[in-house]
Amino acid sequence: MTTAKQYIAQAFESVKARNPHETEFLQAVEELFNTLEPVIEKHPEYIEENILERIVEPERIISFRVPWLDREGKVQVNRGYRVQFNSAVGPYKGGLRFHPTVNQSILKFLGFEQIYKNVLTGLPIGGGKGGSDFDPKGKTDREVMNFVQSFMTELQKHIGPSLDVPAGDIGVGGREIGYMFGQYKRLNQFDAGVLTGKPIGFGGSLIRPEATGYGLVYFTDEMLKANGKSFDGQTVVISGSGNVAQYAVQKATELGANVIAVSDSNGYIIDETGIDFDLLVDIKERRRARLTEYAAEKATAKYVEGSVWDYEGPFDIALPCATQNEINAQAAERLVKNGVYAVAEGANMPSDLDAIKVYHQNGILYGPAKAANAGGVAVSALEMSQNSLRLSWSSEEVDQRLKDIMTNIFETAKTTAETYGLGTDYLAGANIAAFEKVANTMIAQGLV
């Protein structure tokens, strides 16, 4: 009889054989599989139903070319993708990323993570992801519109309010969502529920821009309180300076923390007096400028080139909000040396597998991305609900619903970890809780 450990090992070898060059996807699969032995031991039917090999295969991958005209009237061509990974619990839900690094491996990893993140919210949404290797940086509004209209002309064939509801991600903000919605509307009936992250004027939800950053802090606050700690009086370092990082700065500061650092792709700001939220938003959102301008305008700030995780100075809490694999084992060891006792992830998979080992070995409280950064998709699902009901909730109501969802996610991870005798291993708790629900639903629906 095959044991749970043997089955997991065999399934992972099969995934590697089928996807040998998709390193990010394999990393995401390995991170999940590493935690599943207890739940598969409890449910031998998962082996009989071969649930692992089924759950790692996307239901559908759509790839298409995107021709568009640049400012000089020249034809440019990019690749577009949509990975519709798992719809067992509900319609595919997940962002669109526009960035030169986008490829099938990255979108499969993001879509795979999205399945479990979405399930943890308790809302009826499945997992998907998409995007393009198009880079919106340095492009005019007209160029972005030209690209987006071409992109949506193809994508609209494969999405719908009860089938697949994309949102924004890196490189896709209100401008891009607006252009996509406009093109969808030209080609189909008006349906606000086909995209989320829309501007307020045509179906967007209040608190959506803030949701991932606020949700990250709400989750982290619950994790801290469960372990006799809080944000009050603590020093925090945050990577990134986009929406997630900005609103994590704002909410953590409201809870009494001193956030001393944010970063961009070239370097980071250290401001021991605390990051000025209003100045940060002005520079990044209104001016679309680099963080060097922050240092130029605030006397207490210093700009340093390189990764913020190279910083050597005492702090308590790390909130990585930039991109995947920004923290490796060496950086994680530096966090331990700096006195960090809690890490919670606002980006998708910002800690590599070796970094996670360092967290566990040193007793660091760890909030994994699929749990800690679920606030964005949670409010996206609330936006879908508002669109369906043809109404709009107040910012206070949406914020309270968000806080309740993030509290429930933490409680689910905590309770599941304790049920399986895993202590404060919130990664395993989140993984097991989400996997169990998806696996049981897939089995109940037959061979899907």
Side-chain angles (χ1 to χ4, degrees):
M1 180 178 176
T2 304
T3 67
K5 188 171 185 178
Q6 289 170 335
Y7 173 57
I8 292 168
Q10 290 167 5
F12 188 61
E13 286 304 312
S14 175
V15 177
K16 286 197 293 184
R18 286 184 168 186
N19 309 276
H21 306 299
E22 296 183 349
T23 55
E24 295 87 358
F25 174 58
L26 291 174
Q27 179 184 336
V29 172
E30 185 175 2
E31 183 248 73
L32 178 77
F33 280 17
N34 283 346
T35 62
L36 294 183
E37 187 174 346
V39 72
I40 291 178
E41 284 180 348
K42 182 180 177 181
H43 293 278
E45 67 270 21
Y46 293 167
I47 300 177
E48 183 180 343
E49 295 282 350
N50 197 12
I51 203 69
L52 291 184
E53 289 203 47
R54 289 162 60 188
I55 212 165
V56 297
E57 285 297 322
E59 293 174 10
R60 193 175 298 107
I61 299 177
I62 300 146
S63 176
F64 51 95
R65 73 168 179 256
V66 187
W68 57 280
L69 292 177
D70 66 16
R71 72 191 75 176
E72 297 175 356
K74 294 180 180 178
V75 176
Q76 303 293 335
V77 181
N78 287 93
R79 287 181 175 174
Y81 302 92
R82 188 67 179 171
V83 178
Q84 295 176 331
F85 219 116
N86 192 293
S87 61
V89 177
Y92 308 107
K93 185 83 192 78
L96 296 167
R97 176 176 293 192
F98 292 168
H99 194 274
T101 60
V102 164
N103 57 38
Q104 186 167 290
S105 174
I106 285 177
L107 293 179
K108 282 178 68 178
F109 120 63
L110 291 168
F112 187 69
E113 288 278 289
Q114 199 78 41
I115 302 167
Y116 311 104
K117 182 190 305 185
N118 292 359
V119 165
L120 285 169
T121 68
L123 301 168
I125 43 177
K129 208 76 178 182
S132 173
D133 56 2
F134 172 78
D135 187 358
K137 285 186 178 178
K139 304 292 193 302
T140 65
D141 287 350
R142 174 67 66 176
E143 287 177 310
V144 171
M145 185 175 71
N146 288 346
F147 168 79
V148 162
Q149 288 179 340
S150 180
F151 179 84
M152 181 51 81
T153 298
E154 180 61 31
L155 183 66
Q156 56 89 26
K157 302 172 186 176
H158 311 286
I159 64 175
S162 298
L163 171 63
D164 185 350
V165 183
D169 192 76
I170 293 172
V172 179
R175 173 182 62 172
E176 289 76 17
I177 292 289
Y179 292 152
M180 276 191 268
F181 181 76
Q183 186 70 355
Y184 181 89
K185 186 161 64 74
R186 289 175 68 189
L187 299 171
N188 299 274
Q189 297 178 13
F190 182 95
D191 199 314
V194 77
L195 288 164
T196 59
K198 299 180 295 297
I200 298 299
F202 47 94
S205 175
L206 293 165
I207 307 295
R208 179 59 189 92
E210 298 91 336
T212 307
Y214 280 12
L216 168 64
V217 174
Y218 291 149
F219 179 95
T220 308
D221 191 43
E222 293 299 319
M223 181 173 72
L224 295 175
K225 288 190 291 189
N227 291 275
K229 300 178 183 296
S230 75
F231 271 108
D232 191 36
Q234 302 301 284
T235 303
V236 178
V237 166
I238 295 177
S239 66
S241 51
N243 266 5
V244 181
Q246 290 167 24
Y247 291 110
V249 168
Q250 184 189 40
K251 187 57 67 173
T253 302
E254 285 180 11
L255 295 180
N258 183 34
V259 181
I260 63 168
V262 290
S263 69
D264 60 21
S265 56
N266 295 327
Y268 59 96
I269 290 289
I270 289 291
D271 187 349
E272 298 285 353
T273 66
I275 296 296
D276 184 326
F277 169 73
D278 291 330
L279 178 59
L280 177 64
V281 171
D282 181 56
I283 288 169
K284 298 304 294 183
E285 298 302 314
R286 298 185 185 93
R287 306 184 211 172
R288 296 182 182 267
R290 310 296 297 181
L291 284 180
T292 48
E293 290 198 20
Y294 183 104
E297 294 184 28
K298 194 152 186 258
T300 55
K302 178 184 178 184
Y303 184 83
V304 182
E305 291 188 354
S307 169
V308 70
W309 307 120
D310 292 336
Y311 172 68
E312 295 189 0
F315 62 103
D316 307 298
I317 299 167
L319 302 178
C321 298
T323 191
Q324 66 266 13
N325 291 331
E326 57 181 284
I327 301 179
N328 58 20
Q330 184 179 8
E333 293 283 5
R334 190 176 297 110
L335 294 181
V336 174
K337 179 182 174 183
N338 289 341
V340 170
Y341 64 80
V343 177
E345 298 177 333
N348 290 301
M349 204 170 73
S351 306
D352 70 16
L353 295 172
D354 292 331
I356 293 171
K357 289 178 185 176
V358 173
Y359 301 156
H360 288 322
Q361 290 166 357
N362 289 276
I364 287 179
L365 300 174
Y366 173 49
K370 62 171 62 71
N373 81 0
V377 74
V379 173
S380 283
L382 296 179
E383 183 177 328
M384 292 167 64
S385 297
Q386 292 172 81
N387 293 162
S388 296
L389 295 169
R390 298 294 192 266
L391 54 76
S392 180
W393 296 325
S394 69
S395 58
E396 292 78 13
E397 184 172 1
V398 177
D399 194 26
Q400 186 58 55
R401 289 173 184 262
L402 170 62
K403 190 171 185 179
D404 291 344
I405 289 169
M406 298 311 298
T407 299
N408 289 338
I409 290 174
F410 174 75
E411 286 300 322
T412 297
K414 176 177 177 290
T415 302
T416 305
E418 291 171 350
T419 298
Y420 282 89
L422 301 170
T424 59
D425 189 345
Y426 304 127
L427 170 63
N431 280 348
I432 289 171
F435 172 80
E436 200 167 18
K437 183 172 181 179
V438 177
N440 290 342
T441 304
M442 289 176 68
I443 291 171
Q445 294 174 2
L447 284 177
V448 297

